[in-house]
């Protein structure tokens, strides 16, 4: 008689060690990644770390619709503004269709952040009068080399019709790297005395020097020039406070100072009055130059009014020497780029090229397109959360969780005895995976553990324990039917598996719906609940079931010891069904159905 074929399920049953080894490897890999990333604890939300929470409500402005694209753009711009204040781990996220929540951790000037995140800032193109590396004496970044040189050359602006590779000029301050402080100060004074900027509508000067700007000179005189020179000399752009104050509330028609970053180093700028308003940029996009050697570049299209202004100002700038042939693209008082000009750019189209990476080109294009917030925002509420309050609430929540866990463990030990070891080991594995994944999700996707998220993790204890109970009860039912432990474990699994999957699917579906339809901190609860539900399935399939298969081979459980939780006698098991052989011949009599 041929032996029955072993199916896939039988093969899997005979090698439960593979599943246990797999989940052990996953735990070790995730834990190693957590320590390698330097984030050994989950990132804390504002309610646990303390800080300021600002709620802003969007209003349609100048025909701009309140839609997902505009809200996402506003979030991106606000996020750059908050980060510009030196804030670490700030959160800017949408809430519903027309609200934005800005969570700023403790240690930030909440008033300053409150002023910056919701203002519809302006983007300007300002001529560069002077620029140099910024920082304490002896710590200034060394100027980049010129066109033969190095890491991040200054981008150049040129007509978009030009297909040739652009010449790469030097970074700010590189035109005279050996200049002394005295000569730099004299250059600043000369630039201010010459008349801060070329006028957008001014005529070309035969000497090549910029013509005087009435708006810059009227009412200012030597006192204003001296004040600007003093501000420029004292400005240290390596300090977050100086960067935040430089160029703040600067009037478009007056000269100002500002900071900008280039290749990881900070530079300070003396800028003339605005020549072109950012609202006059019709479109900007990052494209890759497949014909030449420019790589990634930013292409701009101006409105008809902006095209005339840009042609006038670039015509004047092209006559000057470095750095006075540059124009600074200024957003929120910070120079985001300062390309040089070689020739007047007419036609309403221009491109900025230089050693851009894709992300840098896309960011610059985004700033040019959406320098100002696409929507107006009204401040709804400002809430200050102290770390002490959050710590007390966290302590109370953890205490409640510990009490609940202790009650679950007591119930398991009293009711399931030896089987409780399987449940507790599974709970430990689930807790380790949850903690490690939460710690990794902080830097990966910005997940922050807040109080509702902690509550979601506590609720998940009951969901996880429920899965073990379903499986254990299925095994006990099989034993009550008279089967021994090993077949009972395998026969109980398909039925228990279906119940666990249905139960966890309902929990995950509820968490997903809650995450989608709610906003703010409630999403933290929904996210944690969904995460722990998925981990429950992983732990039951790859740890609890294989471990139970191994323990079924041990005499303590297989023989039904009274402390194993699987004692057939205490479970009221039926005696094993035995077949009685019927003697051959007519005297055998009728067959008892119970014996068949």
């Amino acid at each position: 008689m041929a032996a029955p074929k072993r199916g896939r399920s039988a093969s899997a049953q005979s090698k439960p060690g593979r599943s246990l080894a797999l989940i052990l490897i996953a735990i070790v890999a995730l834990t190693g990644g957590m320590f390698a990333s330097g984030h050994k604890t989950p990132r804390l939300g504002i309610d646990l770390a303390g800080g300021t929470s600002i709620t802003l409500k969007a209003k349609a402005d100048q025909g701009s619709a309140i839609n997902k694209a505009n809200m996402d753009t506003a979030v991106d711009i606000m996020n750059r503004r908050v980060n510009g204040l030196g804030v670490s781990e700030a959160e800017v996220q949408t809430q519903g269709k027309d609200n934005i929540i800005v969570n700023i951790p403790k240690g930030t000037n909440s008033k300053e952040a409150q002023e910056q995140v919701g203002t519809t800032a302006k983007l300007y193109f300002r001529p560069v009068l002077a620029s140099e590396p910024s920082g304490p004496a002896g710590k200034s970044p060394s100027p980049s080399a010129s066109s033969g040189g190095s890491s991040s050359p200054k981008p150049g602006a040129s007509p978009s019709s030009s297909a040739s590779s652009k010449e790469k000029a030097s970074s700010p301050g590189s035109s005279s790297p050996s200049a002394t402080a005295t000569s730099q100060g004299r250059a600043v004074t000369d630039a201010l005395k010459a008349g801060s900027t070329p006028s957008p509508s001014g005529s070309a000067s035969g000497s090549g020097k910029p013509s005087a700007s009435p708006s810059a000179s009227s009412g200012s005189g030597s006192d204003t020039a001296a004040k600007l020179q003093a501000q420029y000399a004292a400005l240290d752009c390596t300090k977050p406070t100086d960067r935040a104050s430089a160029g703040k509330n600067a009037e478009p028609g007056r000269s100002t100072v500002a900071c900008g970053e280039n290749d990881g180093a900070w530079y300070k700028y003396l800028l003339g009055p605005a020549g072109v308003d950012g609202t006059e940029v019709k479109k900007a996009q990052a494209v890759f130059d497949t014909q030449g050697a420019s790589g990634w570049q930013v292409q701009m299209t101006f409105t008809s009014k902006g095209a005339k202004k840009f042609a006038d100002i670039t015509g004047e700038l092209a006559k000057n020497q470095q750095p006075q042939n540059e124009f600074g693209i200024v957003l929120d008082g910070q120079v985001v780029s300062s390309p040089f000009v070689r020739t007047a750019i007419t036609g309403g189209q221009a491109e900025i090229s230089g050693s851009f990476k894709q992300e840098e080109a896309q960011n610059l294009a985004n700033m040019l397109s959406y320098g100002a917030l696409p929507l107006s925002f009204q401040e709804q509420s400002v809430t200050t959360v102290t770390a002490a309050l959050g710590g007390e609430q966290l302590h109370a929540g953890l205490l409640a969780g510990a009490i609940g866990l202790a009650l679950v463990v007591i119930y398991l030990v009293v009711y399931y005895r030896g089987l409780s070891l399987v449940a507790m080991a599974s709970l430990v594995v689930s807790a380790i995976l949850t903690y490690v994944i939460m710690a990794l999700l902080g830097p990966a996707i910005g997940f922050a553990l807040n109080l509702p998220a902690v509550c979601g993790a506590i609720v998940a204890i009951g969901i996880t324990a429920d899965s073990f109970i379903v499986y254990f009860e299925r095994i006990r039912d099989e034993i009550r039917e008279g089967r021994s432990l090993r077949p009972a474990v395998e026969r109980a699994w398909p039925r228990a598996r279906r119940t666990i999957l249905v139960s966890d699917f309902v929990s995950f579906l509820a968490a997903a719906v809650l995450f989608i339809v709610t906003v703010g901190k409630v999403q933290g609860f929904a996210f944690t609940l969904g995460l722990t539900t998925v981990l429950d399935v992983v732990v039951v399939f790859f740890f609890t079931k294989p471990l139970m298969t191994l323990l079924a081979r041990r005499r303590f459980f297989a023989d039904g010891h009274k402390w194993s939780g699987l004692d057939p006698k205490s479970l009221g098991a039926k005696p094993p069904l035995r077949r009685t052989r019927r003697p051959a011949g007519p005297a055998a009599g009728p067959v008892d159905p119970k014996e068949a």
Side-chain angles (χ1 to χ4, degrees):
M1 182 176 180
K5 295 182 179 180
R6 295 180 64 190
R8 182 178 298 178
S9 60
S11 177
Q13 295 166 11
S14 63
K15 298 180 180 179
R18 289 185 177 181
S19 298
L20 294 175
L22 181 63
I23 198 168
L24 179 62
I25 292 172
I27 291 175
V28 172
L30 290 172
T31 305
M34 179 184 70
F35 282 97
S37 66
H39 297 81
K40 301 178 183 178
T41 58
R43 178 185 173 195
L44 298 180
I46 188 173
D47 50 358
L48 299 180
T52 303
S53 179
I54 305 172
T55 303
L56 302 170
K57 184 177 181 63
K59 300 185 300 180
D61 184 32
Q62 296 180 353
S64 298
I66 300 177
N67 52 39
K68 187 178 185 301
N70 284 338
M71 292 293 287
D72 289 344
T73 299
V75 167
D76 181 60
I77 295 172
M78 289 183 187
N79 191 44
R80 288 198 303 267
R81 293 180 183 179
V82 176
N83 290 332
L85 297 173
V87 180
S88 59
E89 297 186 350
E91 298 175 1
V92 182
Q93 58 187 359
T94 56
Q95 183 184 52
K97 294 182 179 180
D98 56 358
N99 289 331
I100 289 181
I101 304 296
V102 183
N103 293 327
I104 305 172
K106 187 179 179 181
T108 303
N109 187 329
S110 59
K111 184 177 180 181
E112 185 176 7
Q114 185 178 343
E115 291 176 353
Q116 290 206 15
V117 293
T119 56
T120 309
K122 296 294 184 180
L123 178 75
Y124 295 108
F125 292 80
R126 290 178 176 268
V128 175
L129 304 180
S131 64
E132 61 182 281
S134 180
K139 295 183 180 180
S140 296
S142 57
S144 302
S146 56
S147 58
S150 62
S151 54
S152 181
K154 171 74 62 183
S158 63
S160 59
S161 58
S162 172
S164 61
S165 176
K166 279 73 181 176
E167 182 183 356
K168 298 177 181 178
S170 57
S171 292
S174 61
S175 56
S176 54
S178 61
T180 62
T182 303
S183 62
Q184 289 175 348
R186 187 181 303 115
V188 172
T189 304
D190 292 343
L192 290 170
K193 287 182 177 180
S196 308
T197 178
S199 173
S201 59
S203 59
S205 172
S207 62
K209 293 182 180 180
S211 58
S213 172
S215 61
S217 57
S218 60
S220 58
S222 58
D223 291 340
T224 302
K227 182 179 179 182
L228 278 171
Q229 182 178 343
Q231 289 179 354
Y232 181 74
L235 182 61
D236 182 2
C237 291
T238 60
K239 297 180 180 179
T241 53
D242 282 19
R243 294 200 299 268
S245 61
K248 184 178 179 181
N249 299 325
E251 296 181 12
R254 294 185 179 274
S255 298
T256 186
V257 295
C259 295
E261 188 178 9
N262 183 32
D263 194 26
W266 286 100
Y267 292 83
K268 59 182 179 180
Y269 294 82
L270 179 62
L271 304 171
V276 182
D277 195 309
T279 58
E280 294 167 333
V281 177
K282 187 176 181 180
K283 181 181 178 182
Q285 60 181 349
V287 297
F288 187 80
D289 183 11
T290 57
Q291 303 297 326
S294 299
W296 282 96
Q297 56 186 225
V298 178
Q299 292 182 350
M300 299 181 295
T301 302
F302 292 89
T303 63
S304 57
K305 183 179 178 181
K308 184 178 185 305
K309 290 183 179 180
F310 195 70
D312 291 340
I313 193 172
T314 52
E316 294 294 335
L317 291 175
K319 303 173 184 178
N320 300 332
Q321 299 297 318
Q322 193 89 11
Q324 292 184 10
N325 65 341
E326 303 169 6
F327 60 86
I329 303 173
V330 186
L331 173 65
D332 283 344
Q334 181 174 314
V335 178
V336 296
S337 183
S338 55
F340 68 93
V341 178
R342 290 189 301 166
T343 183
I345 302 175
T346 59
Q349 292 186 334
E351 61 186 25
I352 303 175
S353 59
S355 296
F356 284 124
K357 297 179 181 177
Q358 180 179 2
E359 183 179 358
E360 294 172 342
Q362 290 174 341
N363 287 341
L364 179 56
N366 184 54
M367 291 177 186
L368 291 169
S369 297
Y370 305 106
L373 292 176
L375 301 166
S376 296
F377 287 87
Q378 181 180 1
E379 188 178 285
Q380 294 290 97
S381 64
V382 179
T383 305
T384 300
V385 182
T386 64
L389 177 61
E392 292 175 1
Q393 293 175 339
L394 177 62
H395 181 267
L398 293 178
L399 179 61
I403 294 174
L405 180 61
L407 292 175
V408 170
V409 171
I410 292 173
Y411 170 80
L412 292 173
V413 171
V414 172
Y415 193 74
Y416 289 106
R417 300 189 181 184
L419 285 177
S420 63
L421 298 176
V422 180
M424 286 187 285
S426 300
L427 284 172
V428 170
V429 171
S430 180
I432 293 174
L433 287 173
T434 302
Y435 181 89
V436 173
I437 291 176
M438 283 184 176
L440 291 173
L441 287 178
I445 64 173
F447 171 76
L449 186 65
N450 51 28
L451 287 174
V454 174
C455 293
I458 294 173
V459 171
I461 296 175
I463 296 176
T464 305
D466 182 63
S467 298
F468 309 148
I469 291 173
V470 169
Y471 186 32
F472 294 161
E473 287 301 321
R474 295 295 188 189
I475 294 174
R476 286 182 156 198
D477 288 341
E478 296 294 332
I479 293 176
R480 289 188 183 98
E481 293 296 325
R483 293 183 176 85
S484 59
L485 181 58
R486 291 184 66 174
V489 167
E490 302 305 330
R491 287 177 63 89
W493 174 240
R495 298 168 60 194
R497 179 178 59 200
R498 287 193 297 269
T499 305
I500 292 170
L501 288 176
V502 170
S503 175
D504 283 347
F505 175 76
V506 172
S507 296
F508 182 82
L509 184 63
V513 172
L514 191 64
F515 184 85
I516 293 172
V517 302
T518 59
V519 293
K521 296 179 181 179
V522 180
Q523 286 186 327
F525 172 85
F527 182 86
T528 307
L529 183 61
L531 174 65
T532 51
T533 300
V534 172
L535 290 179
D536 174 53
V537 175
V538 172
V539 171
V540 170
F541 275 69
F542 291 92
F543 184 80
T544 307
K545 167 57 173 61
L547 182 61
M548 199 65 221
T549 301
L550 289 177
L551 292 179
R553 303 172 184 176
R554 303 296 175 183
R555 292 189 59 185
F556 179 78
F557 289 95
D559 293 346
H561 192 279
K562 65 178 182 179
W563 286 104
S564 67
L566 297 169
D567 180 14
K569 187 175 181 180
S570 62
L571 292 176
K574 298 176 181 179
L577 300 178
R578 300 181 182 276
R579 292 180 179 271
T580 304
R581 291 181 178 274
R582 184 168 60 89
V591 179
D592 187 350
K594 294 183 179 180
E595 295 179 354

